[in-house]
Amino acid sequence: MADTTAQLGSPQEKRAFYRNALAIMLPIALQNLMDTAVNSADVIMLSYVSQEALSASSLAGQVAFIMSNLIYGLSSASAVMSAQYWGKGDRTAVERVLGMALRLALMVSVAFAAAAAIFPAQIMRIFTPDPALIAEGETYLRAISASYVLGAFAQIYLSVMRSVERVGITAVIHGGAVVMNVVLNACFIFGVGPFPKLGILGVALATTITRAVEAIICVIDGTLCRRIRLRVRFLLARGGQLMRDFVHLAVPAAANDIIWGLAFSVYSIILGHLSSDIVAANSVASVVRNLGTVMCFGTASAAGIVLGKTMGENRLAEAKVYAKRFIGMAVWTALIGGAAILLLRPVVLDFMHLYVEVTQQAKDDLNLMLYINSYYIMGVSLNTMLICGIFRSGGDVRYGLICDAVSMWLYAVPVGLFCAFVLKLPEMWVYFILCLDEFVKLPVNFWYYGKRKWVKNITRETT
């Protein structure tokens, strides 16, 4: 936390604030970067297999994308409460929150895993009518289904650990898992050494094995950690008022992330019914965009931790000042991310031209997508900071639900469907229109930020 002995706004206090913010943000951004590296490696390696494998993995990945957004809602609620109770100094409450969040996450992930294992073909038909893509995606979903449960466990655990400022160890755990995933991907996709050559099935198996190892390490860490421990009794306990507070936050947060995730899945459905070329281009563009946003999302996560702890300590005036600084950081990280996309564009296009077996149309689509994403991430960065970083840190989760429901389901989805299938606009015009959603809601988000309704200490006496 920034040095509270120095006067707020003094050079000494500002330096202390930014040192602390960067110390939290950089490990989280590194985790985001390594996650994106796995996706990048998947895309690169699958592109050597076939365009069908690349497109099928992108579409089948929407199942995990939807689930991860629901789990992210639960982890957001647990992070908000953990950060505030950590600021208050109530460690038992943090451990209880961890147990409740894990129980709900496991229930949700088991349902998704069962659906992917039992109905993979039916799920793939939602996203594409192409028989080749359906067959590839069916194989992928069956093999990766168990990883949903294991990944949900690790995601919740690491989120709570970050909220109590254990960002270093969480980066080590998750970073190690990422490296393992990339290595196993290469071994299973190409049949390196004693490993069989499995193509798209290899990606799923590598992910499942990695998630299992990561979950085991989290259990060991939670047993040995002296700061916050993973206790079985809290995993099974009812929770009382604390559970009611958690549900009060978790339900709108999860609904918000599901609404957001489903809308992006509809975007994929729209593109998937236009052509395989634009799906392949979008799978690569999404990876490059994710590389550009790693610092943006890391900054928003750091804001949630710092502001949540500050408000838990009942220092509300400081929280307002810190929030303004984090918005400035969001602008700078977006500018850096946009520049990174533009710098990577010729490299990505040259790689696609020389090594990847996709059509020329897919390469042309990708070229335009990268230009669009270079400025699109400014809207992503600011909205993520406001909704997921600042507003949620004070327990204000309902606003984000309403905002995304209106901007995505009353604007982006119906307008995208209308432009694609009624007006039958060119594919890239449809993509451009879908990418306007972040800028539609941005002015309203800043208006709501100015009202300061999010500045709250939501902790209670729990003993």
Side-chain angles (χ1 to χ4, degrees):
M1 186 58 60
D3 186 0
T4 56
T5 63
Q7 183 179 1
L8 187 67
S10 67
Q12 180 186 355
E13 183 275 331
K14 286 183 178 179
R15 285 194 297 271
F17 168 82
Y18 285 114
R19 279 198 302 269
N20 182 65
L22 289 173
I24 296 173
M25 181 269 283
L26 291 176
I28 297 174
L30 178 61
Q31 292 177 62
N32 295 338
L33 176 62
M34 297 187 80
D35 282 336
T36 304
V38 171
N39 294 331
S40 302
D42 289 352
V43 169
I44 292 171
M45 286 184 275
L46 283 173
S47 66
Y48 282 100
V49 178
S50 68
Q51 181 168 319
E52 286 74 19
L54 177 62
S55 299
S57 67
S58 176
L59 294 176
Q62 294 302 309
V63 178
F65 178 68
I66 295 170
M67 189 203 74
S68 67
N69 279 287
L70 181 53
I71 300 300
Y72 183 73
L74 297 177
S75 68
S76 294
S78 61
V80 168
M81 294 185 67
S82 297
Q84 290 223 1
Y85 278 107
W86 179 247
K88 187 179 181 179
D90 191 341
R91 297 189 179 191
T92 301
V94 177
E95 292 177 347
R96 291 172 63 190
V97 168
L98 173 59
M100 293 183 296
L102 284 174
R103 182 168 71 248
L104 293 174
L106 291 174
M107 292 168 60
V108 169
S109 58
V110 166
F112 272 83
I118 299 170
F119 307 111
Q122 292 86 339
I123 290 172
M124 284 301 300
R125 290 191 186 98
I126 296 173
F127 296 101
T128 180
D130 189 324
L133 297 186
I134 292 172
E136 292 275 18
E138 183 178 0
T139 300
Y140 178 88
L141 284 173
R142 279 207 176 96
I144 205 170
S145 57
S147 74
Y148 297 164
V149 180
L150 300 165
F153 178 90
Q155 183 177 341
I156 294 292
Y157 178 81
L158 296 176
S159 175
V160 172
M161 291 301 110
R162 284 194 295 267
S163 298
V164 299
E165 300 174 295
R166 295 189 71 218
V167 292
I169 188 64
T170 60
V172 171
I173 293 173
H174 193 64
V178 167
V179 172
M180 179 181 178
N181 200 350
V182 172
V183 173
L184 288 178
N185 275 344
C187 291
F188 280 123
I189 290 175
F190 301 115
V192 177
F195 293 88
K197 185 176 182 180
L198 300 175
I200 190 173
L201 176 60
V203 175
L205 289 177
T207 300
T208 301
I209 294 170
T210 300
R211 294 301 183 208
V213 173
E214 185 179 29
I216 291 170
I217 294 174
C218 287
V219 171
I220 295 172
D221 180 72
T223 303
L224 301 177
C225 178
R226 294 183 178 180
R227 185 178 299 187
I228 296 295
R229 289 199 173 183
L230 176 62
R231 302 185 188 273
V232 175
R233 71 175 187 271
F234 292 144
L235 187 64
L236 303 175
R238 292 190 176 186
Q241 182 61 53
L242 199 64
M243 172 62 89
R244 288 190 287 273
D245 288 344
F246 179 80
V247 171
H248 179 75
L249 293 175
V251 170
N256 185 182
D257 291 313
I258 279 293
I259 282 174
W260 184 85
L262 284 173
F264 264 87
S265 292
V266 173
Y267 298 172
S268 295
I269 292 171
I270 292 171
L271 298 178
H273 283 76
L274 293 178
S275 73
S276 176
D277 292 328
I278 199 165
V279 170
N282 186 49
S283 66
V284 178
S286 296
V287 170
V288 179
R289 180 180 66 232
N290 290 340
L291 285 170
T293 56
V294 292
M295 292 182 64
C296 303
F297 291 134
T299 305
S301 296
I305 294 169
V306 172
L307 295 176
K309 183 180 179 184
T310 303
M311 286 184 273
E313 294 170 337
N314 216 34
R315 296 190 292 121
L316 304 184
E318 287 95 326
K320 295 177 185 178
V321 176
Y322 295 164
K324 185 176 180 180
R325 294 174 184 173
F326 274 115
I327 289 175
M329 291 178 68
V331 172
W332 278 107
T333 55
L335 291 173
I336 294 170
I341 290 176
L342 292 177
L343 290 173
L344 285 171
R345 187 188 67 85
V347 177
V348 173
L349 292 175
D350 285 346
F351 178 83
M352 294 284 286
H353 178 71
L354 294 174
Y355 301 107
V356 181
E357 296 181 7
V358 295
T359 65
Q360 183 59 46
Q361 184 60 53
K363 296 172 186 175
D364 293 341
D365 289 345
L366 175 61
N367 182 37
L368 292 175
M369 284 179 175
L370 293 178
Y371 278 118
I372 291 172
N373 280 287
S374 67
Y375 65 80
Y376 177 66
I377 65 170
M378 178 61 75
V380 173
S381 181
L382 288 171
N383 286 321
T384 302
M385 173 59 69
L386 290 167
I387 293 176
C388 299
I390 295 174
F391 299 162
R392 287 189 181 182
S393 68
D396 192 342
V397 294
R398 287 195 174 132
Y399 170 78
L401 170 60
I402 296 170
C403 177
D404 282 336
V406 172
S407 65
M408 303 186 89
W409 289 95
L410 295 184
Y411 163 72
V413 169
V415 170
L417 290 168
F418 182 76
C419 291
F421 304 118
V422 177
L423 296 181
K424 299 187 183 300
L425 294 181
E427 295 171 357
M428 285 309 304
W429 275 105
V430 174
Y431 181 82
F432 171 75
I433 291 168
L434 290 174
C435 287
L436 293 176
D437 64 321
E438 295 289 345
F439 298 98
V440 168
K441 62 187 178 185
L442 189 57
V444 181
N445 286 343
F446 271 108
W447 167 80
Y448 189 78
Y449 163 78
K451 296 175 72 68
R452 302 293 193 272
K453 290 185 176 181
W454 51 271
V455 187
K456 294 178 184 176
N457 181 341
I458 62 171
T459 62
R460 301 175 186 266
E461 295 299 326
T462 61
T463 58

